[in-house]
């Protein structure tokens, strides 16, 4: 039976497929460096989410906890995609591999602990929610307290991309714990359908525009190969007449004849 929730999830799947289409345009663009941009990772974001939403729309993977339907594919989606979302921000900032790995680990812990909280009740659920929220605070600290220093050492265009993704992730994700707490598994102010509508909207907005922003700023990764020249050519130093005179004075420019 087709319900409002099924329609919402199906629309979410379509929204993620739009993100896949944007990624394809980015992947086939000839005015960027796919390897430097690590664009292959970006396919995971809308791709995995599209599969998850298609499964949820088909009613696959839903379990019942305390009388509330919990879509497991959503949490699997978050466990797969959110580390890429946060990890790519760190990569664009030019963070070290250790910093990227630590950030990804904290993000994964946030999702796993949050899901564990969904499966429990009472005090354990509250503790899990608090720990998951603490992980999120740690991610905010990394986004706004650690990565900006690395980003300032990057090219201007790459730093701008970092700032866009930084705020897109940092500000939009604030709504997730609020919606969860207001839903049936929290204080119960919002019904399941309302949570589905809100989370679906937030998920699409968190993922599809993210890929779009990377596509818009795709030339940021050309700066490394072109030394920042505006027309995309490699800057080459050519000797001037003055430098040639200096070489002659030093004896480097003297020629001899047999």
């Amino acid at each position: 039976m087709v319900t409002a929730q099924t329609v919402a999830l199906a629309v979410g799947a379509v929204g993620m497929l739009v993100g896949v289409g944007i990624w394809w345009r980015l992947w086939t663009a000839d005015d960027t460096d796919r390897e430097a941009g690590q664009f292959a990772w970006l396919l995971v974001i809308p791709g995995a989410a599209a599969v998850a939403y298609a499964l949820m729309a088909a009613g696959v993977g839903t379990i019942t906890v305390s009388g509330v339907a919990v879509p497991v594919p959503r949490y699997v989606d978050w466990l797969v995609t959110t580390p890429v979302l946060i990890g790519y921000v760190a990569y664009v900032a030019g963070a070290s591999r250790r910093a990227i790995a630590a950030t990804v680990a904290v993000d994964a812990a946030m999702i796993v602990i949050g899901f564990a909280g969904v499966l429990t009740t009472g005090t354990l659920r509250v503790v899990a929610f608090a720990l998951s929220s603490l992980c999120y605070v740690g991610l905010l600290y990394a986004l706004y307290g650690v990565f900006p220093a690395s980003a300032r050492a990057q090219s201007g265009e790459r730093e701008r991309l970092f700032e866009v993704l930084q705020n897109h992730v940092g500000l939009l994700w604030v709504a997730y714990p609020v919606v969860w707490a207001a839903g049936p598994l929290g204080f119960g102010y919002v019904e399941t359908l309302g949570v589905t509508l809100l989370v679906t909207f937030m998920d699409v907005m968190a993922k599809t525009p993210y890929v779009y922003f990377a596509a818009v700023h795709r030339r940021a990764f050309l700066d490394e190969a072109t030394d920042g020249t505006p027309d995309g050519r490699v800057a080459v130093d050519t000797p001037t007449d003055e430098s040639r005179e200096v070489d002659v004075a030093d004896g480097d420019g003297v020629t001899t004849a047999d």
Side-chain angles (χ1 to χ4, degrees), residues 2-246:
V2 177
T3 64
Q5 181 162 301
T6 301
V7 172
L9 294 170
V11 171
V14 173
M16 300 304 179
L17 289 176
V18 171
V20 173
I22 295 173
W23 174 85
W24 178 249
R25 294 293 299 272
L26 169 63
W27 184 253
T28 56
D30 58 4
D31 59 345
T32 187
D33 187 332
R34 292 186 298 187
E35 183 175 351
Q38 294 291 305
F39 297 144
W41 285 101
L42 295 179
L43 176 59
V44 175
I45 299 170
V51 173
Y53 270 88
L55 291 174
M56 288 187 288
V60 177
T62 300
I63 62 176
T64 301
V65 178
S66 301
V68 178
V70 176
V72 176
R74 171 169 290 146
Y75 289 89
V76 175
D77 165 25
W78 289 346
L79 184 59
V80 172
T81 60
T82 60
V84 178
L85 286 163
I86 195 73
Y88 193 74
V89 177
Y91 171 75
V92 172
S96 66
R97 290 188 177 183
R98 178 176 296 180
I100 294 175
T103 304
V104 167
V106 171
D107 180 273
M110 176 182 70
I111 302 301
V112 171
I113 294 172
F115 184 61
V118 169
L119 300 179
T120 58
T121 59
T123 303
L124 287 177
R125 177 174 292 175
V126 174
V127 171
F129 178 75
L131 290 175
S132 182
S133 298
L134 185 62
C135 289
Y136 175 63
V137 172
L139 294 178
L140 286 179
Y141 173 73
L143 282 173
Y144 292 97
V146 178
F147 297 154
S150 299
R152 284 191 289 270
Q154 306 304 314
S155 65
E157 184 68 19
R158 183 160 175 170
E159 184 179 6
R160 284 190 290 273
L161 173 59
F162 162 73
E163 292 172 350
V164 170
L165 298 181
Q166 170 199 42
N167 292 320
H168 186 70
V169 170
L171 299 180
L172 186 58
W173 283 14
V174 171
Y176 282 91
V178 175
V179 171
W180 188 91
L185 295 173
F187 296 104
Y189 297 137
V190 182
E191 295 182 354
T192 301
L193 176 59
V195 170
T196 298
L197 293 173
L198 288 171
V199 172
T200 299
F201 173 76
M202 292 188 300
D203 271 356
V204 173
M205 292 304 297
K207 296 178 172 67
T208 295
Y210 187 104
V211 180
Y212 171 76
F213 294 143
V216 169
H217 294 276
R218 62 186 178 275
R219 291 182 61 84
F221 301 99
L222 280 179
D223 291 342
E224 301 173 2
T226 61
D227 197 27
T229 53
D231 58 357
R233 295 174 299 173
V234 177
V236 179
D237 293 331
T238 56
T240 62
D241 292 338
E242 183 178 357
S243 65
R244 292 193 185 96
E245 292 176 1
V246 172

